[in-house]
Amino acid sequence: MTVMQGTEWKVIAFRLKDEEYALPVQYVRSIEKIQHITRVPRTAHYVKGVINLRGVVTPIIDLRERFGFPSVPYSEQTRIIIVSIEDMEVGLIVDAANDVLDIPASSVEPPPEAIGAVEVDYIHGVAKVGRRLLILLNLEKVLEK
């Protein structure tokens, strides 16, 4: 992942289930409140459908379902993080978007072998920020079929 080089990374932190995750801000286009999602037949179970975001039809993936976590009803805290990778925009439904952080590259460790239900392939590393642990996602792997 080329954007995760250098001495400090800027990331968007978000909550999913009981853990905090992070994505590099370079991928994030916007953070939206949950809105009407139009279902698309014959898609993977974690693809919730599409939204019309300022004239652009954007597919929406529920990260809880992508990672095999149980579904929960959407709430006021639920957000759609719009990410862009290789000329493709995708929305990721998360439980809550927390904040933007600068993470020293030295605080990032490789993912441990057993990191809960999320497959290690989806994880770039784990960052220690104060008392917080952030799971850094490998967006390219998350968006692979």
Side-chain angles (χ1 to χ4, degrees), residues 9 12-13 32 39 51 65 76 82-83 87 104 108 124 127:
W9 303 337
I12 300 282
E32 308 290 331
R39 301 266 327 158
I51 62 171
E65 294 189 27
E76 282 293 311
I82 305 296
V83 296
D87 296 329
V108 178
H124 180 77

Side-chain angles (χ1 to χ4, degrees), residues 76-140:
E76 282 293 311
Q77 303 298 314
T78 304
R79 293 291 181 268
I80 300 173
I81 298 176
I82 305 296
V83 296
S84 178
I85 186 167
E86 297 175 4
D87 296 329
M88 176 178 66
E89 285 198 358
V90 176
L92 305 173
I93 298 174
V94 300
D95 293 350
N98 295 342
D99 45 15
V100 178
L101 299 169
D102 292 315
I103 298 176
S106 60
S107 71
V108 178
E109 297 182 5
E113 291 293 322
I115 194 152
V118 176
E119 289 185 39
V120 173
D121 284 352
Y122 297 157
I123 299 169
H124 180 77
V126 177
K128 292 179 280 187
V129 181
R131 299 176 64 130
R132 299 162 72 178
L133 286 178
L134 295 172
I135 300 169
L136 302 173
L137 290 181
N138 183 336
L139 191 57
E140 290 135 351

